[in-house]
Amino acid sequence: MPKKVSVIIPCFNESEGLLLFYKDLKSHLPEKYHYEVIFVNDGSADNTLEVIKELRQNDSSVHFISFSRNFGHQNALKAGFDMASGNCAICLDADLQHPPKLIPQLMEKWEEGFESVVTKRIDHDSISGFKKLTSRMFYQLTNRLSDVKLENGVADFRLLDRKVLDALKSFSENQIFLRAVIQWLGFKQCIISYKAGERVAGDSKYTLKKMLSFALSGITAFSIKPLRFSIYLGLLFAALSFLYGVYALAVFLFTNNALPGWTSILMSVLFIGGLNLLMLGIIGEYLGKLFIENKKRPNYIIAETDLGTLN
Ligand code: UDP
Ligand code: MG
Protein backbone atom coordinates (compact mmCIF):
# COMPACT_ATOMS: atom_id res chain seq x y z
CA MET A 1 0.00 0.00 0.00
CA PRO A 2 1.68 3.28 -1.07
CA LYS A 3 1.77 6.12 1.40
CA LYS A 4 -0.80 8.84 0.94
CA VAL A 5 0.26 12.46 0.53
CA SER A 6 -2.15 15.38 0.79
CA VAL A 7 -1.32 18.51 -1.18
CA ILE A 8 -3.09 21.63 0.05
CA ILE A 9 -3.48 24.74 -2.07
CA PRO A 10 -5.25 27.84 -0.73
CA CYS A 11 -6.83 29.80 -3.58
CA PHE A 12 -8.26 33.28 -3.55
CA ASN A 13 -9.20 34.58 -7.00
CA GLU A 14 -6.61 32.42 -8.73
CA SER A 15 -8.62 31.19 -11.74
CA GLU A 16 -6.20 32.76 -14.25
CA GLY A 17 -3.15 30.78 -13.29
CA LEU A 18 -4.70 27.70 -11.73
CA LEU A 19 -4.49 25.43 -14.77
CA LEU A 20 -0.83 26.25 -15.27
CA PHE A 21 -0.20 25.60 -11.61
CA TYR A 22 -2.04 22.28 -11.71
CA LYS A 23 -0.02 21.04 -14.69
CA ASP A 24 3.24 22.04 -13.08
CA LEU A 25 2.26 20.46 -9.80
CA LYS A 26 1.24 17.18 -11.44
CA SER A 27 4.50 16.94 -13.33
CA HIS A 28 6.50 17.12 -10.13
CA LEU A 29 4.67 14.66 -7.89
CA PRO A 30 6.77 11.50 -7.43
CA GLU A 31 4.88 8.50 -8.76
CA LYS A 32 5.35 6.03 -5.97
CA TYR A 33 2.82 7.76 -3.70
CA HIS A 34 -0.90 8.03 -3.62
CA TYR A 35 -2.16 11.63 -3.76
CA GLU A 36 -5.01 13.78 -2.62
CA VAL A 37 -4.83 17.31 -4.04
CA ILE A 38 -7.02 19.62 -1.97
CA PHE A 39 -7.82 23.06 -3.34
CA VAL A 40 -9.20 25.36 -0.68
CA ASN A 41 -11.34 28.04 -2.30
CA ASP A 42 -11.18 30.95 0.12
CA GLY A 43 -14.32 32.80 -0.97
CA SER A 44 -13.04 33.70 -4.42
CA ALA A 45 -15.12 36.18 -6.38
CA ASP A 46 -14.00 34.84 -9.76
CA ASN A 47 -14.57 31.36 -11.18
CA THR A 48 -11.79 29.63 -9.22
CA LEU A 49 -14.26 27.04 -7.90
CA GLU A 50 -15.50 26.19 -11.41
CA VAL A 51 -11.92 25.70 -12.60
CA ILE A 52 -11.26 23.35 -9.68
CA LYS A 53 -14.43 21.39 -10.39
CA GLU A 54 -13.41 21.01 -14.02
CA LEU A 55 -10.02 19.63 -12.97
CA ARG A 56 -11.83 17.20 -10.74
CA GLN A 57 -13.77 15.67 -13.61
CA ASN A 58 -10.61 14.29 -15.17
CA ASP A 59 -8.61 13.62 -12.06
CA SER A 60 -10.08 11.72 -9.14
CA SER A 61 -7.25 12.79 -6.84
CA VAL A 62 -8.48 16.41 -6.97
CA HIS A 63 -10.70 17.57 -4.11
CA PHE A 64 -11.99 20.88 -2.92
CA ILE A 65 -13.08 22.74 0.16
CA SER A 66 -15.02 25.91 -0.52
CA PHE A 67 -15.54 28.54 2.17
CA SER A 68 -18.72 30.56 2.54
CA ARG A 69 -16.65 33.76 2.26
CA ASN A 70 -13.04 34.93 2.43
CA PHE A 71 -11.52 33.75 5.71
CA GLY A 72 -7.90 34.43 4.85
CA HIS A 73 -4.85 32.44 3.81
CA GLN A 74 -4.05 31.08 7.30
CA ASN A 75 -7.54 29.72 7.82
CA ALA A 76 -7.55 28.20 4.35
CA LEU A 77 -4.37 26.33 5.27
CA LYS A 78 -5.86 25.28 8.61
CA ALA A 79 -8.93 23.86 6.87
CA GLY A 80 -6.72 21.89 4.52
CA PHE A 81 -4.64 20.50 7.38
CA ASP A 82 -7.75 19.65 9.39
CA MET A 83 -9.31 17.69 6.57
CA ALA A 84 -6.26 16.11 5.00
CA SER A 85 -6.19 12.33 5.29
CA GLY A 86 -2.65 11.67 4.06
CA ASN A 87 0.35 10.31 5.96
CA CYS A 88 1.75 13.78 5.42
CA ALA A 89 0.54 17.05 3.96
CA ILE A 90 2.30 19.59 1.77
CA CYS A 91 0.96 23.11 1.41
CA LEU A 92 1.90 25.62 -1.23
CA ASP A 93 0.56 28.76 -2.92
CA ALA A 94 -1.37 28.59 -6.15
CA ASP A 95 0.68 31.23 -7.95
CA LEU A 96 3.83 29.13 -8.58
CA GLN A 97 5.86 31.32 -6.25
CA HIS A 98 6.35 28.16 -4.27
CA PRO A 99 7.96 25.99 -6.96
CA PRO A 100 6.35 22.52 -7.12
CA LYS A 101 9.67 21.12 -8.36
CA LEU A 102 10.82 21.31 -4.75
CA ILE A 103 8.22 18.79 -3.64
CA PRO A 104 10.39 15.69 -4.29
CA GLN A 105 13.08 17.22 -2.03
CA LEU A 106 10.56 17.86 0.73
CA MET A 107 9.45 14.26 0.50
CA GLU A 108 12.98 12.94 0.61
CA LYS A 109 13.50 14.78 3.87
CA TRP A 110 10.26 13.31 5.16
CA GLU A 111 11.41 9.81 4.23
CA GLU A 112 14.63 10.54 6.12
CA GLY A 113 12.53 11.00 9.23
CA PHE A 114 11.88 14.73 9.46
CA GLU A 115 8.38 15.50 10.62
CA SER A 116 8.17 19.15 9.72
CA VAL A 117 10.03 20.27 6.61
CA VAL A 118 9.88 24.02 6.09
CA THR A 119 11.14 26.04 3.17
CA LYS A 120 12.96 29.30 3.28
CA ARG A 121 12.78 31.90 0.54
CA ILE A 122 15.95 33.41 -0.84
CA ASP A 123 14.88 36.71 -2.33
CA HIS A 124 14.63 36.88 -6.05
CA ASP A 125 15.33 40.00 -8.09
CA SER A 126 11.77 40.04 -9.34
CA ILE A 127 10.38 40.59 -5.87
CA SER A 128 9.87 44.29 -5.30
CA GLY A 129 12.19 46.14 -2.97
CA PHE A 130 9.19 47.13 -0.94
CA LYS A 131 8.09 43.55 -0.38
CA LYS A 132 11.65 42.50 0.55
CA LEU A 133 11.97 45.36 3.00
CA THR A 134 8.59 44.83 4.65
CA SER A 135 9.16 41.11 4.90
CA ARG A 136 12.59 41.61 6.51
CA MET A 137 11.11 44.14 8.92
CA PHE A 138 8.34 41.71 9.74
CA TYR A 139 10.74 38.92 10.70
CA GLN A 140 12.96 41.21 12.72
CA LEU A 141 10.05 42.71 14.60
CA THR A 142 8.35 39.40 15.35
CA ASN A 143 11.60 37.85 16.49
CA ARG A 144 12.46 40.72 18.76
CA LEU A 145 9.01 41.01 20.25
CA SER A 146 7.71 37.49 20.43
CA ASP A 147 8.88 34.40 22.22
CA VAL A 148 9.10 32.15 19.18
CA LYS A 149 12.05 32.62 16.84
CA LEU A 150 11.16 32.56 13.18
CA GLU A 151 13.79 32.01 10.54
CA ASN A 152 13.98 34.93 8.09
CA GLY A 153 11.99 34.19 4.94
CA VAL A 154 10.26 31.04 6.14
CA ALA A 155 7.28 30.56 3.86
CA ASP A 156 3.95 28.82 4.06
CA PHE A 157 5.35 26.12 1.80
CA ARG A 158 6.04 23.10 3.93
CA LEU A 159 5.52 19.42 4.59
CA LEU A 160 3.97 18.20 7.82
CA ASP A 161 3.88 14.63 9.04
CA ARG A 162 0.65 13.06 10.29
CA LYS A 163 1.85 13.54 13.89
CA VAL A 164 2.17 17.29 13.41
CA LEU A 165 -1.19 17.46 11.64
CA ASP A 166 -2.87 15.67 14.53
CA ALA A 167 -1.24 18.02 17.04
CA LEU A 168 -2.35 20.98 14.97
CA LYS A 169 -5.96 19.85 15.09
CA SER A 170 -6.11 20.61 18.79
CA PHE A 171 -5.54 24.30 18.04
CA SER A 172 -8.76 26.19 17.87
CA GLU A 173 -7.40 29.70 18.31
CA ASN A 174 -8.72 32.32 15.96
CA GLN A 175 -6.32 34.47 13.95
CA ILE A 176 -4.04 31.47 13.93
CA PHE A 177 -0.46 32.24 12.96
CA LEU A 178 0.64 28.94 11.51
CA ARG A 179 4.33 29.67 10.96
CA ALA A 180 4.87 30.33 14.64
CA VAL A 181 2.46 27.66 15.86
CA ILE A 182 4.23 24.97 13.84
CA GLN A 183 7.60 26.10 15.12
CA TRP A 184 6.19 26.10 18.65
CA LEU A 185 4.92 22.53 18.24
CA GLY A 186 8.44 21.24 17.82
CA PHE A 187 8.98 17.77 16.28
CA LYS A 188 11.93 17.01 14.03
CA GLN A 189 12.31 20.03 11.79
CA CYS A 190 14.52 20.89 8.85
CA ILE A 191 14.77 23.76 6.39
CA ILE A 192 15.16 23.76 2.61
CA SER A 193 16.07 27.00 0.79
CA TYR A 194 14.61 28.00 -2.56
CA LYS A 195 14.47 30.97 -4.89
CA ALA A 196 11.05 32.57 -5.11
CA GLY A 197 9.70 32.98 -8.60
CA GLU A 198 7.34 35.56 -9.99
CA ARG A 199 3.60 35.31 -9.66
CA VAL A 200 2.30 33.65 -12.85
CA ALA A 201 -1.01 35.50 -13.01
CA GLY A 202 -3.04 38.04 -11.13
CA ASP A 203 -1.78 40.22 -8.30
CA SER A 204 -0.61 39.52 -4.80
CA LYS A 205 -3.59 39.08 -2.50
CA TYR A 206 -1.61 40.39 0.41
CA THR A 207 -2.29 44.09 0.51
CA LEU A 208 -0.28 46.33 2.81
CA LYS A 209 -3.22 46.32 5.18
CA LYS A 210 -3.32 42.51 5.30
CA MET A 211 0.46 42.35 5.86
CA LEU A 212 0.22 44.79 8.74
CA SER A 213 -2.58 42.91 10.40
CA PHE A 214 -0.65 39.66 9.83
CA ALA A 215 2.40 41.12 11.59
CA LEU A 216 0.37 42.48 14.48
CA SER A 217 -1.44 39.21 15.08
CA GLY A 218 1.85 37.34 14.76
CA ILE A 219 3.37 39.41 17.52
CA THR A 220 0.43 39.53 19.86
CA ALA A 221 -0.37 35.83 19.46
CA PHE A 222 2.98 34.81 20.85
CA SER A 223 4.07 37.39 23.32
CA ILE A 224 2.99 39.81 25.97
CA LYS A 225 6.21 41.78 25.61
CA PRO A 226 4.46 44.81 24.04
CA LEU A 227 2.27 45.04 27.14
CA ARG A 228 5.29 44.94 29.38
CA PHE A 229 6.97 47.50 27.17
CA SER A 230 4.04 49.86 27.77
CA ILE A 231 4.56 49.55 31.52
CA TYR A 232 8.26 50.46 31.20
CA LEU A 233 7.53 53.34 28.92
CA GLY A 234 4.77 54.54 31.25
CA LEU A 235 7.14 54.39 34.23
CA LEU A 236 9.84 56.24 32.36
CA PHE A 237 7.54 59.08 31.44
CA ALA A 238 6.01 59.25 34.90
CA ALA A 239 9.55 59.67 36.30
CA LEU A 240 10.41 62.31 33.70
CA SER A 241 7.27 64.33 34.41
CA PHE A 242 7.97 64.09 38.15
CA LEU A 243 11.45 65.54 37.61
CA TYR A 244 10.02 68.23 35.42
CA GLY A 245 7.48 69.00 38.16
CA VAL A 246 10.26 69.38 40.74
CA TYR A 247 12.13 71.68 38.39
CA ALA A 248 9.02 73.82 37.73
CA LEU A 249 8.38 74.08 41.44
CA ALA A 250 11.98 75.13 42.09
CA VAL A 251 11.76 77.80 39.41
CA PHE A 252 8.52 79.05 40.95
CA LEU A 253 9.85 79.11 44.52
CA PHE A 254 13.42 80.32 44.11
CA THR A 255 13.45 82.57 41.05
CA ASN A 256 11.44 85.43 39.69
CA ASN A 257 11.20 84.26 36.13
CA ALA A 258 8.32 81.77 36.45
CA LEU A 259 6.72 82.55 33.08
CA PRO A 260 3.17 81.46 32.32
CA GLY A 261 4.81 78.48 30.56
CA TRP A 262 2.06 77.92 28.10
CA THR A 263 4.31 76.23 25.52
CA SER A 264 5.89 73.69 27.81
CA ILE A 265 2.58 72.75 29.38
CA LEU A 266 0.93 72.32 26.05
CA MET A 267 3.78 70.24 24.74
CA SER A 268 3.94 67.92 27.70
CA VAL A 269 0.18 67.49 27.76
CA LEU A 270 0.17 66.61 24.09
CA PHE A 271 3.09 64.26 24.44
CA ILE A 272 1.74 62.41 27.45
CA GLY A 273 -1.67 62.32 25.79
CA GLY A 274 -0.20 60.72 22.70
CA LEU A 275 1.71 58.21 24.72
CA ASN A 276 -1.43 57.33 26.62
CA LEU A 277 -3.27 56.66 23.42
CA LEU A 278 -0.46 54.44 22.13
CA MET A 279 -0.41 52.37 25.29
CA LEU A 280 -4.19 52.13 25.36
CA GLY A 281 -3.98 50.90 21.80
CA ILE A 282 -1.59 48.12 22.76
CA ILE A 283 -3.81 47.06 25.63
CA GLY A 284 -6.82 47.32 23.37
CA GLU A 285 -5.20 45.00 20.85
CA TYR A 286 -4.85 42.28 23.48
CA LEU A 287 -8.28 42.92 24.89
CA GLY A 288 -9.74 42.66 21.42
CA LYS A 289 -7.93 39.37 20.96
CA LEU A 290 -9.35 38.01 24.20
CA PHE A 291 -12.78 39.14 23.14
CA ILE A 292 -12.54 37.36 19.81
CA GLU A 293 -11.01 34.17 21.23
CA ASN A 294 -13.56 34.09 23.98
CA LYS A 295 -16.40 33.74 21.53
CA LYS A 296 -14.82 30.50 20.33
CA ARG A 297 -16.10 30.96 16.84
CA PRO A 298 -14.91 28.53 14.20
CA ASN A 299 -11.94 29.60 12.08
CA TYR A 300 -13.81 29.03 8.86
CA ILE A 301 -17.19 27.98 7.51
CA ILE A 302 -17.32 25.41 4.74
CA ALA A 303 -20.04 26.01 2.19
CA GLU A 304 -19.23 23.03 -0.01
CA THR A 305 -16.73 20.19 -0.12
CA ASP A 306 -16.29 16.77 -1.62
CA LEU A 307 -14.25 15.49 1.29
CA GLY A 308 -16.65 13.26 3.18
CA THR A 309 -15.48 13.26 6.76
CA LEU A 310 -15.42 16.52 8.64
CA ASN A 311 -12.97 16.08 11.48
N1 UDP B 1 -4.85 33.46 -0.36
C1 UDP B 1 -6.00 32.99 0.26
N2 UDP B 1 -6.78 33.86 0.95
C2 UDP B 1 -6.48 35.20 1.05
C3 UDP B 1 -5.29 35.65 0.43
C4 UDP B 1 -4.49 34.76 -0.26
O1 UDP B 1 -6.31 31.80 0.21
O2 UDP B 1 -7.23 35.94 1.68
C5 UDP B 1 -3.98 32.51 -1.10
C6 UDP B 1 -3.63 32.93 -2.53
O3 UDP B 1 -4.58 32.46 -3.46
C7 UDP B 1 -2.27 32.27 -2.74
C8 UDP B 1 -1.68 32.27 -1.34
O4 UDP B 1 -2.76 32.42 -0.42
O5 UDP B 1 -2.39 30.93 -3.19
C9 UDP B 1 -0.67 33.39 -1.13
O6 UDP B 1 -1.21 34.63 -1.50
P1 UDP B 1 -0.41 35.69 -2.36
O7 UDP B 1 0.34 35.03 -3.46
O8 UDP B 1 -1.39 36.74 -2.75
O9 UDP B 1 0.59 36.26 -1.28
P2 UDP B 1 2.13 36.68 -1.48
O10 UDP B 1 2.79 35.60 -2.27
O11 UDP B 1 2.08 37.97 -2.20
O12 UDP B 1 2.65 36.79 -0.08
MG1 MG C 1 2.24 34.80 -3.95
Side-chain angles (χ1 to χ4, degrees), residues 44-58:
S44 298
D46 63 0
N47 61 342
T48 300
L49 186 61
E50 281 74 46
V51 176
I52 300 169
K53 283 183 176 168
E54 258 167 50
L55 292 176
R56 205 173 144 255
Q57 284 178 343
N58 303 315

Side-chain angles (χ1 to χ4, degrees), residues 134-143 150 177 179 214-215:
T134 47
S135 126
R136 199 169 314 138
M137 270 165 51
F138 166 72
Y139 284 105
Q140 270 176 5
L141 199 69
T142 25
N143 281 347
L150 285 182
F177 186 53
R179 286 172 212 194
F214 193 56

Side-chain angles (χ1 to χ4, degrees), residues 233-249 268-269 271-272 275:
L233 210 63
L235 278 177
L236 177 71
F237 279 96
L240 284 180
S241 26
F242 177 74
L243 288 180
Y244 190 64
V246 171
Y247 164 75
L249 201 66
S268 48
V269 165
F271 189 59
I272 302 286
L275 207 69

